Amino acid sequence: MLIGFFLSLLLTIVPFSGNFTNAATPTAVTPVSALSFTQGVQKTLLDNGLTVLTKEVHTAPVVSVQVWYKVGSRNEVKGENGISHQLEHLMFKGTTDRPVQFGRLFSALGSQFNAFTSYDETVYFGTVQRDKLEALLTLEADRMKNSLVGTEQLTSEKRVVISELQGYENSPGYRLDREVMRAAFPNRAYGLSVGGTKADVEKFTVEQVRNYYQTYYSPENATLVITGDFATEPALKVVKETFGKLSQRAKKDTVINNASASSALANASPSTSVAKKAPIVLKQPGSAALLQAVYPLPDIKHPDVPAIDVMDAILTGGRSSRLYQALVESGLASSVSGGAAELIEPGWYQIDATAAPGQELGKIAQVLQESLTKLQQQPVTSEELNRAKTQLQASYILGNQDITSQANQLGYNQTIAGDYRFIERYLAAIAKVTPAQVQQAAKTYLNPAQQTIGFFEPTQPDGKPGTSSAGSGRTVENFSPGKPVDPAELAKYLPPATSETDSAKQSLPEEFTLNNGLKVLLLSDRNLPVINLSGQINAGTEFDGNQKAGLANLTASNLLNGTQTKNALTLAKTLEDRGAGLSFSASREGTSVSGEGLSANLPILIQTLADVLENATFPAEQLELSRQRALTSLKVQLDDPRGLGRQVFQQAIYPANHPFHSFPTAESLKSITRDDLLGFYKTHYRPDTTTIAIVGDFEPAKVKALLNQVFGKWQATGKPPILKIQSVQLPQTLTRLNKVIPGKSEAVTYIGYSGISRKDPRYYAALVLNQILGGDTLSSRLGTEVRDRQGLTYGIYSAFAAGINPGPFLIQMQTAPGDAQKAIASTLALLKQLREQGVTEAEFNTAKRSITNSYPVDLANPSDVSSIILDNAVLGLSRSEIREFPNRIQAVTMADIQKAIEDLIKPENLVIVTTGPGDAVTKGG
């Protein structure tokens, strides 16, 4: 739930710079109008002080409801660090009128919902079909005033929060960030971790949390945002009937006083000259070496903010940016990113870098400082300035294609900047930033004397995990799960809502094949001036083999490193100058293509795609750099319980000669030559094994002509390679595998075996079954028992990974070390219960309704539609599947579910893999 925990997410929803992969800049920058974001927004202030923002967007039959409370870690003091986050969890535990897990209520409505806590705000959001608007408003108003904050709720949710925090502790980057922020802001709440500390969470009392709730969760301290397909006046009538009757609870000066008390250094001048601090050095178990540097910034309303964000885009915005060129292209770092946190109080600018293998953090810090000094001493070029401005402006349009994002934008600006129209002034100011202003911002805020820098130096730089043990047996606990939640009981707490799933109106893509065999799907959507491109090439890691594992990924990651007419930097600038992005990544069954941009730049996007697919040259020096990045990525994966656990799980299911068994090793990555890449490219990158889907603002006839023109010369010879993948037998007995990773604090467990393919006739029944079992960590049987009732895990999910070939059925959970065995025992008992007793009619109907009600929300995002269309085509499904999917779910019968249980739920044949600290994986193994 703590989505806003890391700065990276914060930067995706605020109008500020981050490490954009899509930069931008034609020769002159046309200011982007913010009117498209704020036009039609109506602001209403209720008598009780609640701010209501409504924006009608009639592009899809869905609505988004968000409640933004102006309270976050900024309002906390030492000793109660994490109380905002703890309260966020408790807000799902039910109310006096509805003493039931709210996640189950939201799921039953088909809502795509979540919540996050951040520095200045705590936010609850859900997106549903339009007929569920009143129901969502009713539920949110109920928990604003009547949430259950009692001993039982706090005790179970404390364990969940601690599990979450311990999971973050597994990350060296998280641990480094915590130390750097504490040192940068020793007397300010921004220096505290948003999620809190285990020590503080353990000490929270019911009275303490309840007082916090009553202080901050009050109408005058909140903003309600509604966007989507609704009529404003009737919606406001419902708002007044639900939220309007709530009375104010907070004292008028509470927030102000608390905020000022926690910011003793808030008004310190960023350029105050003090002695430069010594670097913070963490020497702990880990994999890659990390650097983090932090500099104080002013608050969000400061006039320097636009120049700071342009400065950041110049430094870290894409491949053509200064720090990428200085650190990554030089081979010093595997990655570099940056971002400005401009908040209610003075914030900070942050730069993060991961060292390449064998490179010293001190050298990276030196080159970083040289780059910053150059920015302070010399004006930026007009080319860089224009690219940065276009990058920032294009990111707004591309980042606000769906109504959930638009509501996020409005809520953030209203809560943090105090005005939802802030973005209008901000984008207008971005367009006017001058080279002199960027240079002055660098001088003022990138002051070495104000820098706080930290180094993470891993004590296990080889990335090899520690000891392991394997065994076959049962866990020692005896466990009897409670009765499944009765949806009929749940139904009495649901506000009224009609059901109007109607996907029949969904437009179908036009499908055709070029003369060379390249398959194309086009779906015109003229609502926004954007393009979303998805593609897949049958060049996945299934073709690697164990000896050359990593070959497909290295090939994909080198495509943009040069063609016969453009080098890597020229390719990057071609896209980034226009705010467009193009990327490739290899997975098991194919190499995926992802592209986005403003509609005017569709020709550039397609021409660049064709150039790299037909004319990539794989320069030797770039191959070496990408190999070093792959080696770093491998070390990080082997040091992460999730990554290592998934690999061990996968390799336990699939035999060594199976294409799904292979994973890269340091040896296999080092053995791959440029000739290997050229051979793989020539063999597997073919028009007749490529599918492209484009959704957006275009005329299909013009795009057809363009595709024929640019791809016309791309020809394949011979027949494409085909793999015959053998079927996989289930293990004869329950199998346990354990892996210890030194220095970790939380365990991750995978449970499962080989499953089904997407075209399996049992697929739709399996989806409904999975929704009941573990499709949602708050509303499913697994979530209800293992997470909500027992508090053993922060998250537990199940899934059927069904592709062209059968993928695994798996359950994944994260637990505190001492809770792993009990959580596993609980899960096994639930699987046995499912096998022996089946599901109830009410559960069955609720699951089907949840899936079909949620589906229109997916179709409301053009980027998601592009992916759905592509996936359906690649999987060999009908073009009408995007329209027929809800009907296929509705057609599932109880007999289908029973057959799916008999065929697919096998508690006695499970593979169970636990990775993490030693005390989590050695008991009962």
Side-chain angles (χ1 to χ4, degrees):
M1 288 184 188
L2 191 64
I3 301 177
F5 196 86
F6 294 106
L7 182 62
S8 58
L9 176 99
L10 178 70
L11 296 173
T12 66
I13 61 169
V14 303
F16 309 120
S17 50
N19 183 28
F20 293 91
T21 49
N22 311 330
T25 87
T27 50
V29 179
T30 306
V32 171
S33 170
L35 287 178
S36 57
F37 302 115
T38 58
Q39 195 168 20
V41 176
Q42 181 173 321
K43 180 179 176 182
T44 306
L45 191 65
L46 301 192
D47 292 342
N48 60 7
L50 179 72
T51 300
V52 184
L53 301 177
T54 51
K55 180 183 180 182
E56 295 183 27
V57 184
H58 301 288
T59 55
V62 295
V63 291
S64 188
V65 172
Q66 302 190 3
V67 182
W68 288 66
Y69 293 98
K70 194 174 181 179
V71 59
S73 60
R74 174 181 69 94
N75 303 89
E76 299 167 3
V77 296
K78 288 181 179 177
E80 64 171 27
N81 183 205
I83 195 169
S84 304
H85 174 223
Q86 181 69 73
L87 179 56
E88 175 223 310
H89 277 246
L90 289 169
M91 289 287 284
F92 284 88
K93 300 295 277 189
T95 64
T96 49
D97 291 340
R98 295 179 175 85
V100 63
Q101 166 57 253
F102 263 45
R104 289 180 218 144
L105 299 176
F106 292 134
S107 183
L109 291 171
S111 176
Q112 293 190 8
F113 68 95
N114 215 317
F116 66 84
T117 304
S118 193
Y119 301 98
D120 294 334
E121 75 274 17
T122 307
V123 184
Y124 303 84
F125 56 95
T127 303
V128 292
Q129 289 187 93
R130 60 188 169 200
D131 60 306
K132 312 296 191 302
L133 172 60
E134 184 172 347
L136 268 195
L137 291 170
T138 301
L139 291 173
E140 289 295 354
D142 188 15
R143 64 176 174 174
M144 178 179 280
K145 182 179 182 183
N146 305 311
S147 280
L148 292 172
V149 183
T151 303
E152 180 187 344
Q153 292 83 10
L154 182 58
T155 300
S156 72
E157 215 58 31
K158 269 188 183 184
R159 293 186 74 176
V160 172
V161 167
I162 289 169
S163 170
E164 179 182 358
L165 297 179
Q166 295 295 90
Y168 297 137
E169 290 288 336
N170 282 348
S171 164
Y174 170 84
R175 302 199 300 270
L176 178 62
D177 176 79
R178 181 180 56 206
E179 297 306 318
V180 170
M181 291 299 288
R182 278 179 184 168
F185 303 109
N187 300 311
R188 295 185 55 201
Y190 285 161
L192 304 173
S193 298
V194 172
T197 64
K198 181 181 178 182
D200 281 3
V201 170
E202 286 176 334
K203 290 184 290 192
F204 289 152
T205 65
V206 170
E207 182 183 25
Q208 192 179 9
V209 180
R210 192 178 287 152
N211 286 341
Y212 201 79
Y213 170 57
Q214 292 172 347
T215 298
Y216 291 108
Y217 279 58
S218 187
E220 76 279 16
N221 198 44
T223 297
L224 169 67
V225 187
I226 309 171
T227 55
D229 192 17
F230 67 96
T232 301
E233 289 312 311
L236 285 175
K237 184 172 181 288
V238 175
V239 169
K240 287 167 185 173
E241 290 168 355
T242 51
F243 286 90
K245 64 185 180 184
L246 305 182
S247 58
Q248 295 187 8
R249 293 194 297 208
K251 296 175 184 175
K252 288 291 183 185
D253 58 351
T254 304
V255 176
I256 299 167
N257 286 347
N258 217 4
S260 58
S262 67
S263 56
L265 303 182
N267 297 315
S269 168
S271 57
T272 302
S273 182
V274 294
K276 188 174 180 181
K277 304 175 193 172
I280 296 160
V281 180
L282 293 188
K283 294 189 177 184
Q284 298 173 356
S287 51
L290 309 173
L291 175 151
Q292 179 173 324
V294 165
Y295 305 82
L297 286 184
D299 63 64
I300 191 171
K301 295 180 181 178
H302 195 282
D304 286 349
V305 160
I308 291 168
D309 292 343
V310 172
M311 174 191 78
D312 171 54
I314 290 168
L315 285 173
T316 66
R319 188 167 188 169
S320 61
S321 66
R322 290 195 177 191
L323 292 184
Y324 191 98
Q325 289 294 313
L327 295 175
V328 181
E329 292 288 4
S330 68
L332 285 172
S334 290
S335 65
V336 64
S337 60
E342 290 129 347
L343 307 171
I344 290 176
E345 295 177 19
W348 63 94
Y349 182 64
Q350 181 171 323
I351 298 171
D352 296 278
T354 301
Q359 297 295 337
E360 295 294 326
L361 290 171
K363 176 65 174 175
I364 293 174
Q366 177 190 334
V367 174
L368 168 63
Q369 186 54 54
E370 288 169 0
S371 298
L372 301 185
T373 301
K374 183 179 178 183
L375 188 61
Q376 293 169 330
Q377 293 176 347
Q378 299 173 19
V380 298
T381 66
S382 59
E383 179 191 359
E384 285 180 298
L385 185 68
N386 289 341
R387 184 183 305 124
K389 289 181 181 182
T390 309
Q391 169 184 16
L392 286 165
Q393 294 174 346
S395 72
Y396 276 91
I397 298 174
L398 295 169
N400 283 284
Q401 296 185 55
D402 61 287
I403 61 162
T404 304
S405 300
Q406 291 178 39
N408 241 326
Q409 187 77 63
L410 293 171
Y412 190 90
N413 285 334
Q414 181 65 38
T415 304
I416 312 305
D419 182 3
Y420 73 89
R421 293 180 301 262
F422 171 80
I423 190 174
E424 298 174 14
R425 299 190 298 276
Y426 172 80
L427 287 176
I430 287 287
K432 296 175 182 174
V433 170
T434 66
Q437 288 173 321
V438 173
Q439 188 177 7
Q440 186 57 49
K443 286 179 181 177
T444 304
Y445 300 109
L446 301 181
N447 181 348
Q450 287 287 306
Q451 178 198 68
T452 305
I453 192 166
F455 298 155
F456 180 87
E457 297 180 354
T459 55
Q460 278 191 299
D462 59 359
K464 290 179 181 175
T467 59
S468 65
S469 62
S472 184
R474 307 281 177 175
T475 50
V476 294
E477 294 88 349
N478 291 314
F479 176 78
S480 297
K483 286 185 178 180
V485 174
D486 182 2
E489 180 73 10
L490 194 68
K492 70 184 184 184
Y493 300 121
L494 275 171
T498 58
S499 184
E500 58 162 41
T501 301
D502 181 15
S503 57
K505 296 177 181 175
Q506 170 62 41
S507 301
L508 297 182
E510 181 182 355
E511 184 177 327
F512 57 93
T513 303
L514 302 186
N515 292 334
N516 57 10
L518 189 149
K519 185 187 286 187
V520 180
L521 298 109
L522 298 179
L523 183 59
S524 182
D525 178 353
R526 313 308 290 266
N527 289 307
L528 289 168
V530 297
I531 296 296
N532 292 280
L533 183 150
S534 300
Q536 180 156 314
I537 305 142
N538 294 355
T541 62
E542 62 187 3
F543 290 107
D544 277 358
N546 291 324
Q547 298 303 311
K548 297 289 183 181
L551 176 56
N553 259 310
L554 272 181
T555 306
S557 64
N558 275 272
L559 287 171
L560 287 164
N561 282 339
T563 66
Q564 292 169 12
T565 56
K566 292 184 172 77
N567 64 18
L569 184 57
T570 304
L571 282 169
K573 288 180 177 179
T574 298
L575 296 167
E576 292 171 2
D577 280 357
R578 294 165 175 82
L582 184 63
S583 62
F584 301 85
S585 62
S587 59
R588 286 285 165 201
E589 296 185 328
T591 289
S592 61
V593 185
S594 179
E596 63 177 6
L598 304 182
S599 50
N601 297 314
L602 178 59
I604 291 289
L605 200 58
I606 291 178
Q607 287 160 8
T608 305
L609 174 62
D611 192 19
V612 298
L613 290 181
E614 298 177 50
N615 306 309
T617 53
F618 303 100
E621 69 279 5
Q622 289 289 347
L623 169 58
E624 289 312 309
L625 290 174
S626 64
R627 189 199 314 276
Q628 295 305 310
R629 290 195 288 271
L631 287 166
T632 301
S633 178
L634 175 64
K635 287 182 181 181
V636 171
Q637 180 188 339
L638 294 179
D639 186 53
D640 183 343
R642 292 168 302 176
L644 178 62
R646 184 60 192 266
Q647 177 173 329
V648 173
F649 174 74
Q650 192 101 357
Q651 292 185 326
I653 293 174
Y654 300 104
N657 61 346
H658 194 284
F660 289 7
H661 181 92
S662 70
F663 280 81
T665 64
E667 291 72 29
S668 70
L669 288 171
K670 289 174 182 175
S671 75
I672 294 170
T673 65
R674 180 171 178 268
D675 284 342
D676 290 330
L677 264 67
L678 288 166
F680 190 88
Y681 178 66
K682 186 176 180 181
T683 303
H684 298 286
Y685 282 71
R686 310 163 50 104
D688 54 352
T689 63
T690 300
T691 306
I692 296 171
I694 307 174
V695 174
D697 179 24
F698 57 78
E699 292 181 27
K702 289 185 178 179
V703 175
K704 267 188 188 177
L706 179 64
L707 290 167
N708 275 305
Q709 176 192 337
V710 298
F711 284 108
K713 294 178 183 176
W714 192 22
Q715 298 294 325
T717 56
K719 292 185 177 179
I722 296 175
L723 275 178
K724 287 187 177 178
I725 297 183
Q726 71 271 34
S727 59
V728 175
Q729 301 300 312
L730 298 186
Q732 293 301 302
T733 59
L734 184 143
T735 305
R736 293 294 308 268
L737 294 167
N738 301 319
K739 288 283 183 182
V740 176
I741 308 181
K744 301 304 171 187
S745 55
E746 191 80 343
V748 173
T749 298
Y750 291 92
I751 301 173
Y753 36 65
S754 182
I756 58 174
S757 70
R758 175 61 176 85
K759 290 183 107 173
D760 190 295
R762 299 164 295 185
Y763 174 75
Y764 299 100
L767 273 190
V768 178
L769 174 62
N770 186 72
Q771 181 70 18
I772 295 168
L773 174 64
D776 183 283
T777 199
L778 293 181
S779 64
S780 64
R781 283 194 183 186
L782 288 169
T784 296
E785 185 63 49
V786 184
R787 184 200 191 280
D788 205 41
R789 190 175 78 81
Q790 298 186 69
L792 294 174
T793 175
Y794 167 57
I796 182 166
Y797 299 92
S798 64
F800 286 91
I804 298 169
N805 299 291
F809 162 71
L810 75 164
I811 297 167
Q812 178 185 353
M813 68 178 103
Q814 167 188 315
T815 57
D819 290 338
Q821 298 309 318
K822 188 174 182 183
I824 291 168
S826 304
T827 300
L828 296 184
L830 282 162
L831 290 172
K832 289 172 187 170
Q833 182 191 66
L834 181 62
R835 175 82 188 183
E836 292 163 6
Q837 301 175 21
V839 303
T840 67
E841 189 85 32
E843 274 185 304
F844 167 66
N845 291 327
T846 300
K848 289 206 296 185
R849 199 161 48 243
S850 178
I851 294 171
T852 56
N853 284 347
S854 175
Y855 187 63
V857 180
D858 293 327
L859 300 184
N861 187 331
S863 178
D864 289 348
V865 170
S866 173
S867 298
I868 291 169
I869 289 170
L870 174 76
D871 290 344
N872 289 343
V874 168
L875 291 162
L877 302 174
S878 159
R879 190 168 57 101
S880 62
E881 174 69 17
I882 191 170
R883 184 182 285 174
E884 293 298 322
F885 175 78
N887 300 332
R888 302 197 201 284
I889 293 293
Q890 291 291 2
V892 173
T893 65
M894 277 290 277
D896 295 331
I897 290 288
Q898 191 54 44
K899 177 170 173 51
I901 292 172
E902 290 171 11
D903 293 351
L904 304 175
I905 302 299
K906 307 280 188 182
E908 65 279 4
N909 303 114
L910 292 164
V911 172
I912 303 173
V913 174
T914 300
T915 50
D919 54 352
V921 302
T922 53
K923 297 173 186 172

